[in-house]
Amino acid sequence: GAVVSQHPSWVICKSGTSVKIECRSLDFQATTMFWYRQFPKQSLMLMATSNEGSKATYEQGVEKDKFLINHASLTLSTLTVTSAHPEDSSFYICSARRGSSYNEQFFGPGTRLTVL
Amino acid sequence: SQKIEQNSEALNIQEGKTATLTCNYTNYSPAYLQWYRQDPGRGPVFLLLIRENEKEKRKERLKVTFDTTLKQSLFHITASQPADSATYLCATRGGADGLTFGKGTHLIIQP
């Protein structure tokens, strides 16, 4: 159990457009989901924490108006990159926390975003 | 804030030998450290968690140690196989319950 999926697995878009990435916990309910970004040969960087039914908490330096997060249900969180630019090209990975234990986080397979 | 340091240089190990990867933290002693495996173009896969009060944790061919004096965790893979080739990430609790990761060590097991 504890499978997290992401959709799409990759996306190419033009500069200035918006892209939505979905993160789903398939076999458990996740009150908390996390969004990370990973540039080539770099570590995963936490962008924001998404709590079901409330506003997301963003890490310092992450623009909340650019990276819109919606956690509308216990199994789905979405990240929308608005007015994407080439520098937003990256590997976006979500994770979902099962239960109240902060230890148990399960990661999705990631979404490769390329902005032309 | 906590900083996790890993040797991001590639580590080449002969098949059958033990691979040892290092993770150092710079500030306060974290309550736990986690180790993940990441394959190219994929999300991290959880391997092991070791708590501050645990010296050692094992799972099949994997062993993790936690030394609060050295501010270090070691990750060992015994009887290494080419299929063990991947990037291994060390992480601990970061902001708002998310994780802070190191850059990872790229392990290559040569047949």
Side-chain angles (χ1 to χ4, degrees):
Chain A
V3 179
V4 176
S5 70
Q6 281 184 242
H7 179 80
S9 55
W10 60 270
V11 57
I12 301 173
C13 70
K14 291 184 179 179
S15 186
T17 60
S18 294
V19 174
K20 180 186 283 189
I21 301 170
E22 292 185 349
C23 176
R24 292 182 187 273
S25 55
L26 298 185
D27 51 2
F28 67 99
Q29 294 185 329
T31 54
T32 304
M33 289 183 173
F34 304 91
W35 287 96
Y36 296 82
R37 181 167 54 179
Q38 185 177 33
F39 292 104
K41 298 194 184 300
Q42 297 297 312
S43 61
L44 280 78
M45 297 298 294
L46 179 66
M47 298 175 66
T49 302
S50 167
N51 291 297
E52 187 265 337
S54 64
K55 288 184 179 180
T57 303
Y58 291 81
E59 294 299 298
Q60 194 171 14
V62 178
E63 299 175 59
K64 62 180 181 181
D65 294 330
K66 180 169 183 62
F67 298 99
L68 301 179
I69 291 172
N70 187 306
H71 193 156
S73 77
L74 287 173
T75 59
L76 173 65
S77 175
T78 60
L79 168 70
T80 301
V81 183
T82 63
S83 187
H85 290 284
E87 57 265 31
D88 297 323
S89 298
S90 187
F91 193 48
Y92 291 86
I93 307 171
C94 74
S95 72
R97 187 166 76 188
R98 181 171 66 180
S100 59
S101 169
Y102 56 76
N103 297 338
E104 288 199 290
Q105 288 189 33
F106 302 92
F107 285 81
T111 297
R112 172 73 58 194
L113 170 64
T114 302
V115 184
L116 301 176
Chain B
S1 61
Q2 188 67 273
K3 190 175 178 184
I4 300 291
E5 295 176 344
Q6 292 182 261
N7 185 353
S8 56
E9 297 287 330
L11 179 63
N12 286 274
I13 299 293
Q14 192 82 30
E15 182 179 5
K17 302 289 186 184
T18 296
T20 299
L21 285 66
T22 304
C23 170
N24 293 289
Y25 56 92
T26 56
N27 293 331
Y28 54 87
S29 184
Y32 62 85
L33 285 166
Q34 299 187 16
W35 284 88
Y36 289 81
R37 169 181 174 144
Q38 187 176 28
D39 290 286
R42 306 294 295 172
V45 174
F46 173 78
L47 296 174
L48 279 169
L49 178 149
I50 185 164
R51 300 183 191 282
E52 184 182 17
N53 60 354
E54 296 174 320
K55 292 275 192 241
E56 182 179 295
K57 204 80 168 279
R58 290 176 185 261
K59 178 183 176 183
E60 298 173 354
R61 294 185 296 112
L62 308 180
K63 184 178 83 171
V64 174
T65 61
F66 196 161
D67 189 325
T68 55
T69 303
L70 295 177
K71 293 192 173 183
Q72 183 179 85
S73 174
L74 297 180
F75 176 82
H76 306 272
I77 305 175
T78 58
S80 58
Q81 305 165 1
D84 295 326
S85 299
T87 296
Y88 291 85
L89 306 170
C90 177
T92 190
R93 185 174 180 176
D97 290 344
L99 293 172
T100 294
F101 284 87
K103 285 187 179 181
T105 297
H106 183 43
L107 176 65
I108 301 168
I109 305 299
Q110 295 173 332

